[in-house]
Amino acid sequence: MNAVDVVALGESMVTFLPGGPGRLADVPSFDRAIGGAESNVACVLAAAGHTARWVGRVGADGFGDHLVERIAGYGVDVSSVSRDPDRPTGVYFRTAGDRGTGAHEVAYYRAGSAASAMSPATVDLTAVRAGRVLHLTGITAALSDECRALMHTLTAPRPGRPLLSFDVNHRPALWRHPDGPLALLDLARRADIVFVGEDEAAEAWGVTGGPEAIRAALPEPRVLVVKQGEKGATAFEHPDPAGGDAAGAAAEGAQLPGLTVGGRAGVGAVPERGGVPAVPGDVTGRRSTAAPAFEPALEVDVVATTGAGDAFAAGFLSGTLRGLPPRARLRLGHLFAAATLTTPGDLAAPPTRDHADRLTALDDTAWGRLRLAPGWTQAERATEEANTP
């Protein structure tokens, strides 16, 4: 199996976007699109010039054909996507309102989907592991017991494990088990790069007090990115056991050693601290001494928020693959997220590398003055950028 920059594993679904505002009961027509946290990341990274593979499972139906063809159209390798003759491809419908509003509605039809049957036995593990980075999310673990077993297999310490990226993506409605939050914490502690929102940490683990409190509760990942909504994002990083950092290792294409999480077999055996299972010391036996990096979010004329978190993760991972410093990785995350925020669907092409690098290199004052509106990624030099001293 040919190696690629990033492999993303998870469920992708056919998305039906409303033709206008209103309740699902009132919307007369929908436009078909695609959506899925992991495939979104793969598509954005491919559009940004990286090699990417999506591994998933779809039904042997027209919707499955549509998903595979559309994702491949972004330049993503879909050769390891399997087809299930007995289970359907998942679909969902949503209203035009942003997810954060009370008027927003989503109707998922994913129970018993082909993707929910992913397991160590039904997924090509060689293809999944043949990447410099493996990107996973907590959504997959919530789909079924088989999917959860697959996640534990992929995050287990093993020689030659890829750099493991994990987006917590806490979706309470998906979990059928009350231990969902602890399962997510366990998976996060096994990863090298973790993305989590301040709101997610509070809702799932009861951790409040800002990024530092979240880092104190989750010291194991080599890189922890705390998303702070409209404020921005903070990245914590400590060196890996062999020296260097996660970005350097990924940029060099190194195969990274697996992590040992407190020598434990499961979450239940770990004493709790403030409602969060405690681990004595981090995986390297030391704490990070580097100061956290913070980058404020950009001012964006938002069209829709769906998919912005996936785009942010893709931007940060793009910077990681390129060996960029933490602040540049965060800025790329904000820029890629802004591309999605200014479009109505779950996916949007990121700015060109030259354009993104030009904006990333702005000084703090100029960065703070940026305002991005719909269409900004298509401009060779966005109006807002041209007007920035």
Side-chain angles (χ1 to χ4, degrees):
M1 177 60 64
N2 293 331
V4 295
D5 290 333
V6 176
V7 176
L9 175 142
E11 179 174 34
S12 189
M13 295 177 289
V14 173
T15 307
F16 289 94
L17 306 175
R23 303 181 307 154
L24 284 178
D26 301 327
V27 175
S29 62
F30 294 81
D31 295 320
R32 185 177 63 176
I34 63 172
E38 300 84 4
S39 60
N40 285 348
V41 170
C43 288
V44 173
L45 283 167
H50 300 283
T51 54
R53 172 180 299 129
W54 172 58
V55 179
R57 192 170 176 83
V58 299
D61 50 34
F63 286 150
D65 293 340
H66 178 67
L67 276 175
V68 173
E69 291 167 4
R70 283 291 307 277
I71 293 171
Y74 280 87
V76 176
D77 176 4
V78 295
S79 60
S80 299
V81 176
S82 56
R83 310 299 289 261
D84 192 317
D86 302 316
R87 297 176 178 84
T89 303
V91 301
Y92 77 94
F93 297 76
R94 66 177 175 87
T95 54
D98 282 339
R99 184 174 288 163
T101 69
H104 183 70
E105 295 177 76
V106 179
Y108 288 104
Y109 298 90
R110 72 197 307 178
S113 69
S116 69
M118 290 190 296
S119 72
T122 62
V123 167
D124 184 346
L125 297 181
T126 300
V128 173
R129 290 167 171 153
R132 292 157 64 189
V133 176
L134 172 59
H135 181 70
L136 306 169
T137 82
I139 295 172
T140 303
L143 296 180
S144 67
D145 291 340
E146 293 83 1
C147 285
R148 188 167 170 180
L150 174 62
M151 292 288 284
H152 276 273
T153 296
L154 294 175
T155 58
R158 67 186 304 274
R161 192 182 78 172
L163 188 75
L164 184 58
S165 167
F166 180 70
D167 193 336
V168 172
N169 251 320
H170 179 46
R171 304 287 176 84
L174 285 179
W175 284 95
R176 295 175 295 172
H177 302 289
D179 65 343
L182 292 185
L184 292 175
L185 187 64
D186 185 39
L187 291 169
R189 284 176 165 165
R190 295 165 173 249
D192 300 299
I193 302 174
V194 172
F195 301 93
V196 63
E198 269 189 314
D199 54 345
E200 288 181 306
E203 182 179 29
W205 308 321
V207 178
T208 59
E212 287 76 14
I214 297 171
R215 183 52 159 173
L218 192 58
E220 298 83 11
R222 195 169 308 162
V223 178
L224 174 67
V225 180
V226 179
K227 297 176 288 184
Q228 299 166 260
E230 295 181 354
K231 289 175 57 180
T234 299
F236 299 85
E237 184 164 6
H238 58 241
D240 69 78
D245 59 18
E252 294 166 6
Q255 292 296 304
L256 302 174
L259 301 182
T260 302
V261 185
R264 59 204 168 96
V267 171
V270 184
E272 295 194 356
R273 175 184 65 228
V276 177
V279 173
D282 67 20
V283 291
T284 65
R286 56 197 169 173
R287 293 284 188 251
S288 172
T289 55
F294 171 78
E295 280 298 320
L298 294 164
E299 187 172 352
V300 178
D301 293 342
V302 176
V303 174
T305 58
T306 306
D310 306 327
F312 179 91
F316 190 90
L317 291 176
S318 177
T320 300
L321 287 161
R322 295 173 59 193
L324 301 181
R327 290 190 64 188
R329 285 178 260 163
L330 289 171
R331 285 193 172 188
L332 282 179
H334 288 317
L335 289 168
F336 281 34
T340 297
L341 287 168
T342 50
T343 57
D346 291 20
L347 270 171
T352 64
R353 181 168 293 189
D354 286 346
H355 191 180
D357 286 350
R358 207 159 52 232
L359 295 176
T360 300
L362 292 173
D363 61 38
D364 290 347
T365 300
W367 176 263
R369 290 177 180 172
L370 279 177
R371 178 169 178 171
L372 302 176
W376 72 272
T377 58
Q378 284 73 51
E380 178 63 25
R381 197 170 164 81
T383 302
E384 292 80 10
E385 180 191 352
N387 291 338
T388 299

